[in-house]
Amino acid sequence: MDTHDIRFPTSRELDGSDAMNPDPDYSAAYVVLRTDSSDGLEGHGFTFTIGRGNDVQVAAIAALRPHLLGRNVAELCADPASLSRDLVGDSQLRWLGPEKGVMHMAIGAVVNAAWDLAAKRAGQPLWRLLAHADPVWLVSQVDFRYLADALTPEEALGLLREGRRGLAEREAALLERGYPGYTTSPGWLGYSDEKLTRLAKQAVADGFTQIKLKVGADLDDDLRRMRTARAAVGERVRIAVDANQRWNVGEAIEWTRALAGLNPYWIEEPTSPDDILGHAAVREGVAPVKVATGEHVQNRVVFKQLLQAGALDVLQIDAARVGGVNENLAILLLAAKFGVPVCPHAGGVGLCELVQHLSMFDYLALSGTTEDRVIEYVDHLHEHFTAPVVIRDGHYTAPLTPGFSATMHPASIAEYRYPDGTFWAADLAGRQ
Amino acid sequence: MDTHDIRFPTSRELDGSDAMNPDPDYSAAYVVLRTDSSDGLEGHGFTFTIGRGNDVQVAAIAALRPHLLGRNVAELCADPASLSRDLVGDSQLRWLGPEKGVMHMAIGAVVNAAWDLAAKRAGQPLWRLLAHADPVWLVSQVDFRYLADALTPEEALGLLREGRRGLAEREAALLERGYPGYTTSPGWLGYSDEKLTRLAKQAVADGFTQIKLKVGADLDDDLRRMRTARAAVGERVRIAVDANQRWNVGEAIEWTRALAGLNPYWIEEPTSPDDILGHAAVREGVAPVKVATGEHVQNRVVFKQLLQAGALDVLQIDAARVGGVNENLAILLLAAKFGVPVCPHAGGVGLCELVQHLSMFDYLALSGTTEDRVIEYVDHLHEHFTAPVVIRDGHYTAPLTPGFSATMHPASIAEYRYPDGTFWAADLAGRQ
């Protein structure tokens, strides 16, 4: 098991700037699982962070090493839940969460790396491995602790059995057309109106039917930028807005109502990701504008309650925030049970590469539809991955490379490892 | 700023064992703030953990170093919220939470160390510094973000102004009598019935009017242990039970009802600490048994909702889980607003030493009463602190040493630093 602290200097271009995150350096706490098999295959995974603290995240991943070393690879790949259970269940590490924050994201990185390895060994892209898996086995991959009041294993099995009907037709459609995306690239808070207009028009030309703007720093600016974007894209393209947790509940309602005349499609992260009751109040206060959240929702227990409380119109999974594929299966099943569409958070470093697999599985074998479902797309840093996402006419093309699309080029690791990669070594030397 | 990974080998005696934590090694990720003042005073703080991962917690504390170095000490001590705001508001570190788990506990350790330093420089125990502080200043120490729908600064100021009435009489009573405690020492899951009986009788003899048993591993065992404890302490001593998050919502209700005939006073942590709606359902299902939680509640936003949802009869703050004194002030104010008694979690390493200050402040200047309020007490590891708690007739004696009672003996640090302290170096050498 190898770990790498990889950081990209994105803050220098204000890429990724929003109301809460003015200067992110997009980073990955990266893990590679190696085996003694002659096939040479490795499992790759990572936690996305935005710079400082990436070293803490790497330390958390490294703390999981004793659970990995010496593990039987075939058994692990046949049952990744066995690893997930051991990691989440480590009674001492559990104190550091439980199931939230740095330690839980570390578990997610390692569990995702195990799934990457399993899919590579199966010679399948992860989405296809999951979509064709036995529903009974899929249910065995889910931890139902704390979920039973909302979803039982029996209900999950029923959803998965029902969800498979028509899989072959949908798989053909997916391979033909891809999965719809939307783009946040035009809407970062640090961009000028000219850049916003240019990128918004480009997004429509590229086939996207939804874009997203960051809001929440200044209402007059938001109104102007919203009008600018609307003028650029026309009435038929959806414009979502994203406050990145900036507001109290009351502020969220007032601000969103002030924007409502410009027809925002959803308001994303209007307040604290921990505030289930707050999201429910916001949703009631801003309808018909939809409420979306999830990129910072820590685990399945909070998603369960957001659904129970009727706090969400759109559920945004993140591939690298919760405890990995196993926990995201639970969350997709909860969303299906409650009939709420899943529109993943992506962007960052490699989040698009990962999460496309989960949405494609959801479409093929669970929700059965792409209606009102879109995967976020941000045009950053894909060049560092060996199998980057391919966007065609506003759609994510189904990846065919075996695995979870998590593998970074060795040259990128060598350049952007912090602080000893070639980029940072030169940069830090230049500052002295 | 110095950090230390300190671990005590408590797992060898099954001290601290419960249904989720069978073999904890009580540990502290410890921080010392030094200054260039000639007074030689230091600020001490720590996060409590139960062993593995303590190194991750130390790494998280170390990641905060740039916010500490070079800071003006007088300004910091006059306004610890300035530090708290900088740490919680670090936009890159925030991604690792926000305000939860490893990174947030690290912030708590450092913020608590700053309060320790402030109280030492003021020559006051922290409880007295807080109790006599200007209410306007206390309000300025609270971050109201995400709280406004439940508590405004104006309401907080009103509570604090009202809370001061009669302070002098209560302070005299506190100095005379102390603050009531209860003890968990008899009730660890790993103890035999004989040890339970002996320690329960001892607790009554020592003046405690409440004890606590760990439950949740096996119902028949729990019934037997509850009867054993009841026989030992009689009908007038309260017996609380603690499931340490073991159950689903439905199980929690069934199990607690099964114990209800033996009159448990409260059921603690019946399910996930993240499950606000679940706790509300449990409370409805198990009344008149009270529901208590909080030791793993990650921040003020979750406490706010537990109160809004009517999910708690007893609110259990922890001095070292949230973002330090500033956030615990917010939580105490929320509890006062909703009229819910605060009975702190303690034990571990140094948690009794810390949290007594917060309860004593609460009594003197906010809630104004000790009725139905008790601080947990566990008779472990106090000898490692320079100003350990003093229990007299079941009460915490008000500490008079300036500071937050967080300072550990240098000899204890030298012995139990992991892995290079004298105890661990010898232990690890012996295993090779």
Side-chain angles (χ1 to χ4, degrees):
Chain A
M1 176 174 156
D2 304 316
T3 57
H4 305 286
D5 180 345
I6 300 167
R7 308 190 190 193
F8 298 100
T10 49
S11 63
R12 298 171 193 191
E13 298 291 330
L14 294 185
D15 296 339
S17 56
D18 63 46
M20 294 292 264
N21 308 297
D23 59 349
D25 281 327
Y26 280 6
S27 301
Y30 197 83
V31 58
V32 180
L33 305 180
R34 287 181 283 108
T35 82
D36 57 7
S37 162
S38 60
D39 63 16
L41 297 175
E42 300 172 337
H44 290 230
F46 53 85
T47 308
F48 168 58
T49 82
I50 61 173
R52 285 185 295 280
N54 204 47
D55 50 334
V56 179
Q57 193 61 54
V58 170
I61 292 171
L64 302 174
R65 192 183 305 268
H67 288 283
L68 276 297
L69 296 190
R71 214 166 177 115
N72 181 291
V73 177
E75 287 171 16
L76 170 63
C77 291
D79 182 18
S82 61
L83 174 65
S84 173
R85 266 194 306 272
D86 285 354
L87 298 178
V88 170
D90 182 310
S91 63
Q92 294 188 359
L93 293 178
R94 197 176 176 281
W95 193 269
L96 302 177
E99 300 188 57
K100 60 180 65 73
V102 168
M103 208 65 239
H104 201 48
M105 291 193 285
I107 289 172
V110 170
V111 167
N112 281 346
W115 281 94
D116 180 57
L117 181 61
K120 284 173 178 166
R121 284 171 62 100
Q124 298 281 345
L126 182 67
W127 63 265
R128 186 182 277 155
L129 182 154
L130 292 172
H132 290 272
D134 177 1
V136 172
W137 180 81
L138 282 174
V139 169
S140 79
Q141 294 303 301
V142 172
D143 180 359
F144 286 90
R145 175 169 273 182
Y146 306 137
L147 296 189
D149 55 326
L151 179 73
T152 65
E154 297 70 30
E155 288 174 312
L157 186 59
L159 289 165
L160 288 163
R161 285 191 168 142
E162 179 65 25
R164 286 169 76 88
R165 293 170 58 177
L167 188 157
E169 293 75 13
R170 286 192 297 280
E171 186 165 353
L174 177 70
L175 290 167
E176 166 73 22
R177 179 75 175 126
Y179 194 103
Y182 76 95
T183 177
T184 306
S185 292
W188 300 108
L189 213 51
Y191 287 0
S192 69
D193 287 4
E194 290 68 27
K195 190 166 184 180
L196 163 58
T197 297
R198 176 167 53 80
L199 293 175
K201 285 179 189 272
Q202 187 63 49
V204 178
D206 289 344
F208 291 103
T209 57
Q210 177 175 323
I211 66 168
K212 189 164 77 185
L213 301 190
K214 301 292 184 174
V215 297
D218 180 276
L219 180 56
D220 287 335
D221 282 350
D222 289 349
L223 287 164
R224 191 192 70 252
R225 293 170 64 252
M226 185 83 191
R227 277 191 292 265
T228 302
R230 181 60 75 201
V233 302
E235 290 301 320
R236 291 180 53 196
V237 169
R238 290 173 174 171
I239 305 177
V241 297
D242 183 353
N244 290 89
Q245 315 166 23
R246 181 64 182 251
W247 302 314
N248 278 319
V249 171
E251 292 171 312
I253 294 171
E254 284 171 40
W255 201 300
T256 305
R257 284 184 180 164
L259 297 174
L262 294 161
N263 195 23
Y265 181 62
W266 75 50
I267 173 66
E268 178 171 330
E269 288 206 306
T271 189
S272 165
D274 306 337
D275 200 343
I276 296 143
L277 302 178
H279 275 83
V282 171
R283 183 170 178 237
E284 196 174 309
V286 306
V289 179
K290 296 178 188 295
V291 170
T293 203
E295 74 179 83
H296 275 87
V297 171
Q298 65 206 32
N299 60 33
R300 70 197 180 286
V301 181
V302 177
F303 275 116
K304 176 189 76 165
Q305 294 174 83
L306 285 163
L307 293 165
Q308 288 174 316
L312 288 186
D313 297 284
V314 174
L315 188 153
Q316 300 177 300
I317 57 170
D318 180 290
R321 169 71 57 182
V322 301
V325 170
N326 299 77
E327 189 160 21
N328 265 319
L329 286 174
I331 296 163
L332 291 172
L333 284 162
L334 284 165
K337 164 84 185 287
F338 284 85
V340 169
V342 174
C343 297
H345 170 250
V349 177
L351 298 180
C352 300
E353 276 69 18
L354 294 185
V355 87
Q356 61 180 338
H357 291 270
L358 302 175
S359 276
M360 290 174 187
F361 156 74
D362 183 41
Y363 168 49
L364 294 182
L366 187 52
S367 76
T369 177
T370 59
E371 194 182 335
D372 290 336
R373 285 156 169 89
V374 277
I375 305 171
E376 186 167 20
Y377 175 69
V378 186
D379 187 14
H380 286 164
L381 306 170
H382 302 288
E383 65 275 20
H384 299 294
F385 288 85
T386 61
V389 294
V390 176
I391 303 292
R392 208 172 54 205
D393 191 25
H395 286 63
Y396 277 77
T397 304
L400 300 178
T401 309
F404 201 178
S405 308
T407 304
M408 215 179 262
H409 287 298
S412 294
I413 296 175
E415 186 170 1
Y416 291 105
R417 249 183 85 107
Y418 186 90
D420 57 340
T422 50
F423 174 86
W424 290 110
D427 184 76
L428 296 168
R431 291 193 208 182
Q432 279 162 0
Chain B
M1 176 175 154
D2 304 318
T3 57
H4 304 286
D5 179 344
I6 300 168
R7 307 191 191 192
F8 298 101
T10 49
S11 62
R12 298 171 194 190
E13 298 291 330
L14 294 185
D15 297 338
S17 57
D18 64 48
M20 293 294 264
N21 308 297
D23 58 349
D25 281 327
Y26 280 6
S27 303
Y30 197 83
V31 58
V32 179
L33 305 180
R34 287 182 283 107
T35 82
D36 58 6
S37 162
S38 59
D39 63 16
L41 297 175
E42 299 173 339
H44 289 231
F46 53 87
T47 307
F48 169 57
T49 84
I50 61 173
R52 285 185 295 281
N54 204 47
D55 51 332
V56 179
Q57 193 61 54
V58 170
I61 292 172
L64 302 174
R65 195 183 302 270
H67 288 282
L68 275 298
L69 297 189
R71 212 164 179 117
N72 180 290
V73 178
E75 287 172 15
L76 169 63
C77 292
D79 182 19
S82 62
L83 174 64
S84 172
R85 267 195 304 273
D86 285 355
L87 298 177
V88 171
D90 182 310
S91 64
Q92 294 188 0
L93 294 178
R94 199 175 175 283
W95 192 269
L96 302 177
E99 301 189 52
K100 61 180 63 76
V102 168
M103 208 65 238
H104 201 47
M105 293 193 284
I107 290 172
V110 170
V111 167
N112 282 345
W115 282 94
D116 181 57
L117 181 63
K120 284 174 178 164
R121 284 171 61 101
Q124 299 281 346
L126 182 67
W127 63 265
R128 186 182 276 154
L129 182 153
L130 292 172
H132 289 274
D134 177 1
V136 172
W137 180 81
L138 282 173
V139 169
S140 79
Q141 293 304 301
V142 172
D143 180 359
F144 287 90
R145 175 170 272 181
Y146 305 138
L147 297 188
D149 55 325
L151 179 73
T152 64
E154 296 70 32
E155 288 174 313
L157 186 58
L159 289 166
L160 288 164
R161 286 192 166 141
E162 179 65 26
R164 285 169 76 88
R165 292 170 59 178
L167 188 158
E169 293 75 13
R170 286 193 297 279
E171 187 165 351
L174 177 70
L175 290 167
E176 165 74 23
R177 180 76 175 126
Y179 194 103
Y182 77 95
T183 176
T184 306
S185 293
W188 300 108
L189 213 51
Y191 287 180
S192 69
D193 286 4
E194 289 69 27
K195 190 167 183 178
L196 164 57
T197 297
R198 175 166 54 80
L199 293 176
K201 285 180 189 272
Q202 187 61 49
V204 178
D206 289 344
F208 291 103
T209 56
Q210 179 174 323
I211 66 168
K212 190 164 78 184
L213 301 190
K214 299 293 183 174
V215 298
D218 180 276
L219 180 57
D220 288 335
D221 283 348
D222 289 349
L223 286 164
R224 192 192 69 253
R225 293 171 64 253
M226 186 84 190
R227 276 191 293 265
T228 303
R230 181 60 76 201
V233 303
E235 290 301 319
R236 292 178 53 195
V237 168
R238 289 174 174 171
I239 305 178
V241 297
D242 183 355
N244 291 88
Q245 315 166 23
R246 181 64 181 249
W247 301 315
N248 278 319
V249 171
E251 293 171 312
I253 294 171
E254 284 170 40
W255 201 299
T256 305
R257 284 185 180 164
L259 297 174
L262 295 161
N263 195 23
Y265 181 62
W266 74 50
I267 173 66
E268 178 171 331
E269 288 205 307
T271 189
S272 165
D274 306 337
D275 199 344
I276 295 142
L277 301 177
H279 275 83
V282 171
R283 183 169 178 237
E284 197 174 309
V286 306
V289 179
K290 296 179 187 295
V291 170
T293 204
E295 75 179 81
H296 275 86
V297 170
Q298 65 207 30
N299 60 34
R300 70 197 180 286
V301 181
V302 177
F303 275 116
K304 176 190 76 166
Q305 294 173 83
L306 286 163
L307 293 165
Q308 288 174 317
L312 286 186
D313 298 284
V314 174
L315 188 153
Q316 301 178 299
I317 57 170
D318 181 291
R321 169 72 56 183
V322 300
V325 170
N326 300 78
E327 190 160 22
N328 266 319
L329 286 174
I331 296 163
L332 291 173
L333 285 162
L334 284 163
K337 164 85 186 284
F338 284 85
V340 169
V342 174
C343 298
H345 169 250
V349 177
L351 297 180
C352 300
E353 277 69 19
L354 293 185
V355 87
Q356 60 179 339
H357 290 272
L358 301 176
S359 276
M360 291 175 188
F361 156 74
D362 184 39
Y363 169 49
L364 295 182
L366 187 52
S367 76
T369 178
T370 59
E371 194 182 335
D372 289 337
R373 284 155 170 90
V374 276
I375 305 171
E376 185 167 19
Y377 175 68
V378 187
D379 188 14
H380 285 164
L381 306 172
H382 301 289
E383 65 275 19
H384 299 295
F385 288 84
T386 60
V389 293
V390 177
I391 303 292
R392 209 171 54 202
D393 192 26
H395 286 63
Y396 277 76
T397 304
L400 300 178
T401 308
F404 201 178
S405 307
T407 304
M408 214 179 262
H409 286 298
S412 294
I413 296 175
E415 188 170 0
Y416 291 104
R417 251 184 84 107
Y418 186 90
D420 57 340
T422 51
F423 174 86
W424 289 110
D427 184 76
L428 295 168
R431 291 192 207 183
Q432 276 164 2

